[in-house]
Structure formats: C-alpha cells, structure tokens
C-alpha cells in the first residue's frame, strides 16, 4: 500500500513586472506611500553609484576588495525597509546578520549615510572599525565572509530573543551557495525545532563565485530547503523591491507574533563580478548578462516611479549629484582614517595564536613596508 503522506508547494511573489507595471493584486500601500517609494529608489541609486566608485578605488589601489552589489539592490532595500517599517510598529530594532553583499541594507539602516559607506570601505580595507554596527541599528552583526556560518549564529541569537521574551526578530542573509553548507542546514533545522523568530533570506544571484545555480543543487528551488526543516518557505522576485518588502514584512510578523521562522529565496542576478578578485567573463556569457540587465531592479523601480509621475531625469540628476558628494566625503573620511592610523595593519600581527604561522614574518614585513609608504604619502601631501 502506498499513500501520499504530505504535499508541499512553494509560492512565488512578484508585484512589479519588468516594465514597471504593477500586477493587479499589488497592495494599495505600494502606490500610495510615495515617500517610501522614493526613499527606496534613492537608496538603490546611491549604492549603485557607490559600487562603481569602490570598484574604481580598488583598481587604483586605494581600497581593498569590493563585493559587487550591482543588480542586487532590490532585495536588499526591500528587506531593510520592511525591517525598519516593522520596527516602527513594534518599537524595537530587529537584528541584521548579513553575509558580505548587503551594502544597500547597511546604507539603509544608518542615518549617517557617509558613515555607513566609510565603514564598508574600512571593513574591506582591513580595519576592525568596519565591523561596528550603526548607532541607529546597534545590535547588527558585521559582514560574514565564511559562507553559511552566520545562519547558525543568527539562529542562536533568535533563540536568545525568544528565551528573553524580547519582541523582535533576527534577519539573516546568505547566498544560494551557502545553502549547500552544513551551517545553513543545521541553522534552519534548529530554527524549525526551537521555533525561533528568524527570517533567513537566501539571495539566489545564480552563482557561487563561478559555480552556476544548476551545478549547486538539483532541487527545483532553494526555498524548499526550508521544507526539510519544517519552516515556512517561499520564493520572491528579488529584483522587485516591493515584493521583497511585502514577503519580509509578513515573515517578520510571523516571527514576532508567533515565533515562527521563515526561509525566503529572493531570485536575482549578480550583474558584476563576485568580487574584485574575480573575472566573470571566464565562466559566463555576455548574452546571459545582457538578458539579466533587462530585469535590473533599479530600472524596474524607475519605470514604476515614472508611471506614477513622481520622479524624472531632472530629480535624478539632482539626487545623483548629492549622492556622489556623500560618497566622495565617505571616501575622504576612509582615506583620512587609514592615513592617520598607519598602525592598523601592523596591529593585526600582534594578535596571533601561540604557534606563529610560517608566513607571519614575511607578512609583517610587507605590512610595515605598506605602513611606511602610507606615511610617506601623508608627508608629501
Ligand atoms: C566556509 C567558506 N568556504 C568557502 C569560502 C570561499 N567563498 C567565498 S564566496 C563563495 C561563494 C558564495 O556564494 P553564495 O553563497 O551564492 O553568495 P554570493 O557571493 O553569490 O552572494 C565561496 C565559496 C568561504 N568564504 N567560506
Ligand atoms: Mg550566489
């Protein structure tokens, strides 16, 4: 005898078509709350400008690595804005536990936009100060480069919130690649068993560095990995900032009101390189990237705002000039900091484990040479 024990389905949400035309079932608030729409668009625009700037700084040798965010601004602004909207309702801040590609969300959370951008540059420049949380979102975690590890940490923090009866949630972000790690699966498994207020957003940007989506998993969706853990899971168009806002807001309500975890797969595309150490032309076709440019989240939102007649080229030019000035100021603050604190690099080597690694001596020499070069630059100026 065989019977069907259970059936599952994965729902997918999209509100804005790529033309910027909304589907009929889009909630009214996504048309009427125009200031929020504009704010979302401005943040997406600013981080796109910052991405280009930090790539250029890295190429000039003035900044460290850049993990590109081009094409991924939609989901990041979508979930960050859902978090702050929900925070206004509950009167407490949620906890953001990102991986390393959430510049747009970090920009959103910080009231001081220059400081947010400066910290991103400091982080990739190797300064511990880049790990600090913004004053306006004080419990956030720093970026996590070790893939998937933040999911377990986020689960633990969410469990702590539950034990302490704090009415707020943890929002953890990881990539598609991270869903293949043990940490991801252990994290969501515990989240399901312990019923913690956790929202895990899987940003499916189609690649884990050079490994394409279909080489990572035979599962039809990444969202359904949540089924195995017994947690609510769904897919959302990650290039549709409004759909992401909606899905994450609902997940936050479930987390806070019912202490139920969620896994949300946000489907998007990484238009840029994985990081500045990567050359994507080695593993993907230009035609694929050109097709992805058609579904660019920034473009889609711009088309929507144009339809509502609340934005135009003139406003865009004024805003971009303002944003570029903020970015330049952030770069100056970052460079001033690095030049004024030449010990930052050398200090790294004062905190080694008991048995020094065999490359330590060479690395320290290189750090000191770099430090000396920086001092010379400063003296010349
Ligand atoms: C534990 C661990 N293993 C390997 C790496 C090397 N690594 C850096 S990024 C990356 C791919 C991650 O892809 P994904 O999770 O899809 O995130 P994305 O970079 O696409 O946002 C890997 C394997 C790492 N940082 N940490
Ligand atoms: Mg990925």
């Amino acid at each position: 005898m065989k019977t069907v024990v259970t059936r599952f389905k994965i729902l997918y949400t999209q509100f804005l078509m790529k033309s910027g035309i909304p589907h009929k079932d889009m909630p009214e608030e996504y048309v009427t709350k125009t200031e929020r729409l504009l704010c979302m668009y401005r943040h997406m625009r600013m981080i796109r400008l910052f991405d280009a700037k930090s790539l250029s700084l890295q190429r000039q040798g003035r900044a460290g690595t850049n993990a590109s965010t081009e094409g991924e601004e939609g989901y990041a602004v979508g979930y960050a804005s859902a978090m702050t909207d929900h925070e206004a309702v509950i009167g407490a801040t949620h906890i953001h536990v990102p991986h390393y590609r959430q510049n747009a969300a970090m920009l959103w959370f910080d009231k001081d936009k220059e400081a947010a951008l400066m910290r991103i540059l400091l982080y990739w420049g190797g300064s511990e100060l880049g790990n600090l949380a913004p004053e306006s979102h004080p419990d956030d975690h720093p970026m996590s480069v070790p893939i998937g590890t933040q999911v377990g940490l986020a689960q633990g923090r969410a469990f702590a919130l539950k034990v302490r009866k704090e009415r707020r949630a943890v929002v953890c972000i990881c990539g598609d690649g991270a869903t293949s790690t043990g940490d991801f699966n252990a994290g969501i498994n515990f989240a399901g068993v312990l019923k913690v207020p956790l929202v895990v957003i899987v940003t499916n940007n189609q690649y884990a560095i050079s490994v394409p989506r279909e080489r990572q998993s035979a599962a039809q969706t990444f969202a359904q990995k949540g089924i195995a853990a017994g947690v609510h899971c769904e897919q959302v168009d990650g290039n549709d900032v409004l759909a992401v806002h909606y899905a994450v807001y609902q997940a936050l309500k479930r987390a806070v009101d019912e202490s139920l975890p969620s896994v949300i797969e946000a489907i998007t595309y990484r238009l840029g390189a994985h990081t500045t150490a990567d050359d994507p032309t080695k593993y993907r076709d230009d035609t694929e990237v050109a097709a992805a440019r058609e579904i660019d989240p920034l473009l889609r939102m711009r088309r929507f705002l144009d339809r509502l007649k609340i934005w135009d080229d003139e406003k865009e030019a004024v805003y971009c000039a303002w944003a570029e000035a903020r970015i330049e100021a952030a770069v100056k603050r970052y460079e001033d900091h690095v030049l004024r604190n030449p010990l930052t690099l050398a200090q790294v080597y004062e905190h080694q484990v008991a048995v020094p690694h065999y490359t330590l001596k060479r690395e320290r020499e290189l750090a000191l040479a770099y430090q000396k070069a920086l001092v010379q630059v400063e003296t010349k100026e």
Side-chain angles (χ1 to χ4, degrees):
M1 183 213 65
K2 283 188 199 300
T3 53
V4 177
V5 178
T6 181
R7 287 185 203 280
F8 302 107
K9 62 180 177 201
I10 299 293
L11 293 178
Y12 169 84
T13 308
Q14 182 192 63
F15 287 152
L16 287 183
M17 295 181 238
K18 73 172 187 184
S19 55
I21 299 174
H23 290 285
K24 288 198 173 59
D25 59 352
M26 182 170 85
E28 191 61 16
E29 65 165 293
Y30 294 118
V31 177
T32 53
K33 291 194 173 173
T34 51
E35 191 39 51
R36 183 173 74 192
L37 293 174
L38 291 170
C39 198
M40 285 168 158
Y41 180 74
R42 288 194 292 256
H43 277 80
M44 290 162 75
R45 196 78 199 79
M46 187 168 189
I47 216 66
R48 178 79 51 107
L49 292 169
F50 176 73
D51 201 49
K53 180 71 187 182
S54 47
L55 177 63
S56 145
L57 288 174
Q58 194 275 344
R59 294 292 187 251
Q60 296 168 56
R62 290 166 62 194
T65 316
N66 171 45
S68 77
T69 54
E70 189 187 9
E72 299 192 40
E73 304 90 343
Y75 71 73
V77 169
Y79 78 73
S81 55
M83 284 170 74
T84 49
D85 280 354
H86 193 248
E87 286 166 3
V89 174
I90 60 170
T93 49
H94 293 305
I95 300 171
H96 183 222
V97 182
H99 80 317
Y100 41 77
R101 209 181 288 287
Q102 271 71 60
N103 294 353
M106 292 191 292
L107 181 71
W108 181 276
F109 293 133
D110 203 332
K111 292 207 169 68
D112 181 346
K113 303 302 166 194
E114 279 175 36
L117 301 179
M118 176 188 68
R119 273 202 310 279
I120 294 165
L121 292 168
L122 281 171
Y123 177 86
W124 293 109
S127 167
E128 289 290 321
L129 292 176
N131 284 332
L132 293 177
E135 241 177 89
S136 36
H137 230 248
D139 295 333
D140 290 359
H141 283 215
M143 297 188 213
S144 171
V145 168
I147 303 303
T149 54
Q150 76 279 25
V151 185
L153 295 176
Q155 187 285 131
R157 279 209 86 172
F159 186 46
L161 293 181
K162 183 174 178 175
V163 170
R164 291 177 178 155
K165 298 191 169 32
E166 290 185 37
R167 272 181 54 79
R168 54 192 188 128
V170 178
V171 177
C172 174
I173 323 301
C174 68
D176 41 280
T179 67
S180 296
T181 65
D183 289 297
F184 170 86
N185 290 287
I188 63 168
N189 189 59
F190 269 116
V193 172
L194 299 172
K195 292 196 171 32
V196 299
L198 174 69
V199 181
V200 176
I201 301 172
V202 176
T203 62
N204 174 6
N205 63 4
Q206 312 303 330
Y207 286 92
I209 314 185
S210 56
V211 183
R213 189 256 172 266
E214 63 277 8
R215 299 286 295 157
Q216 294 176 39
S217 172
Q220 226 177 325
T221 69
F222 287 110
Q224 74 201 58
K225 295 194 178 194
I227 289 173
V231 309
H232 171 99
C233 46
E234 62 181 292
Q235 266 190 343
V236 63
D237 184 340
N239 287 356
D240 175 352
V241 57
L242 305 181
V244 176
H245 179 282
Y246 180 83
V248 174
Y249 194 90
Q250 301 305 317
L252 286 168
K253 283 211 295 199
R254 268 194 306 278
V256 171
D257 299 341
E258 301 170 72
S259 198
L260 290 177
S262 304
V263 170
I264 298 174
E265 175 186 354
I267 301 172
T268 183
Y269 190 88
R270 191 193 77 219
L271 289 171
H274 169 74
T275 64
T276 33
D278 172 43
D279 175 5
T281 61
K282 294 274 186 283
Y283 56 82
R284 66 184 190 187
D285 274 357
D286 289 350
T287 49
E288 180 187 304
V289 184
R293 286 198 181 278
E294 295 289 311
I295 51 163
D296 181 334
L298 194 65
L299 205 60
R300 189 179 314 190
M301 190 63 167
R302 173 66 205 262
R303 287 174 179 153
F304 180 54
L305 299 184
D306 283 350
R307 290 178 62 80
L308 296 179
K309 298 195 178 9
I310 55 173
W311 195 253
D312 54 34
D313 287 346
E314 207 179 308
K315 287 187 176 127
E316 176 120 351
V318 172
Y319 176 71
C320 286
W322 178 87
E324 269 166 357
R326 297 283 76 69
I327 293 168
E328 287 303 329
V331 172
K332 182 163 182 345
R333 278 166 72 175
Y334 159 70
E335 289 191 323
D336 284 354
H337 172 85
V338 172
L339 291 171
R340 267 191 281 107
N341 297 279
L343 278 177
T344 315
L345 252 183
Q347 276 166 348
V348 170
Y349 298 97
E350 302 310 319
H351 302 281
Q352 291 294 318
V353 287
V355 183
H357 192 263
Y358 70 97
T359 59
L360 184 63
K361 187 167 167 290
R362 175 81 186 122
E363 285 179 25
R364 186 183 273 137
E365 282 165 9
L366 287 171
L368 289 174
Y370 180 66
Q371 178 187 325
K372 231 163 114 187
L374 286 177
V375 174
Q376 277 165 6
V377 174
E378 193 182 32
T379 326
K380 259 193 229 156
E381 282 174 352

